Amino acid sequence: PQQRPSLSPCGQSAPRPARRSPLLRRAQRPARAAAGARAASGDHAGAASDVAAERSAALERGDGEEAYSLALLQAKVLSEWPRHSSEAERIYAELTEARPGDFRGWVARAVLARSEGRAGDAARYFLRAKAAAADAGEGAKQAVDAISKGLRG
């Protein structure tokens, strides 16, 4: 099977491991749930720290795909933490630069821009997300369209 590029510690593309073991995936779920619970309770600093640690561990394991997903989560936590949206934007910018063909970064960046009232940026990022999603399949295209429409309404 063809390997998809993933984000390495230095922000460069690196080959993605073929598969994560089911055991590893199950072990990572509680860490994400814990970070989500901390953020929901208002402990954004703790949540951001937890996710950053998990991201570092994923990079050490050489799991660029998981590190990318955790970077998206880290930016999401930061975007919900008052006065930290610029940090979230910086992470999203790094992610979309490292993987311009991954629609997830563009969607997240568009949602943040929209929430900050930057409609022009949001529209531009959604266009990039739609272009990237076209290569990812019909499900991805539908998801981007639904999120885009949901934010307009």
Side-chain angles (χ1 to χ4, degrees):
Q2 190 175 15
Q3 289 189 339
R4 208 167 111 200
S6 59
L7 188 64
S8 71
C10 61
Q12 302 296 317
S13 292
R16 174 183 139 189
R19 291 186 183 198
R20 289 185 304 246
S21 73
L23 181 61
L24 180 59
R25 283 193 305 266
R26 281 194 299 272
Q28 291 166 342
R29 285 187 200 125
R32 287 183 179 196
R38 287 182 89 165
S41 71
D43 184 8
H44 293 94
S49 176
D50 289 350
V51 176
E54 288 296 318
R55 181 181 178 197
S56 292
L59 288 169
E60 287 176 20
R61 288 192 307 272
D63 190 349
E65 181 64 29
E66 182 66 10
Y68 185 89
S69 295
L70 287 165
L72 286 170
L73 179 58
Q74 182 181 13
K76 176 67 174 156
V77 168
L78 289 168
S79 73
E80 294 174 352
W81 187 6
R83 296 180 303 282
H84 288 80
S85 63
S86 63
E87 291 175 66
E89 175 62 30
R90 181 188 53 77
I91 292 172
Y92 289 144
E94 289 172 3
L95 294 175
T96 54
E97 184 177 318
R99 284 196 192 175
D102 190 325
F103 73 94
R104 298 173 297 167
W106 292 111
V107 168
R109 200 169 178 189
V111 169
L112 177 62
R114 184 67 171 186
S115 73
E116 294 180 335
R118 297 183 291 128
D121 287 342
R124 191 171 61 252
Y125 299 149
F126 271 121
L127 286 175
R128 297 289 301 265
K130 287 177 183 184
D135 296 334
E138 191 59 34
K141 285 174 33 181
Q142 291 175 353
V144 171
D145 285 342
I147 294 167
S148 175
K149 288 176 185 170
L151 290 177
R152 278 189 251 139

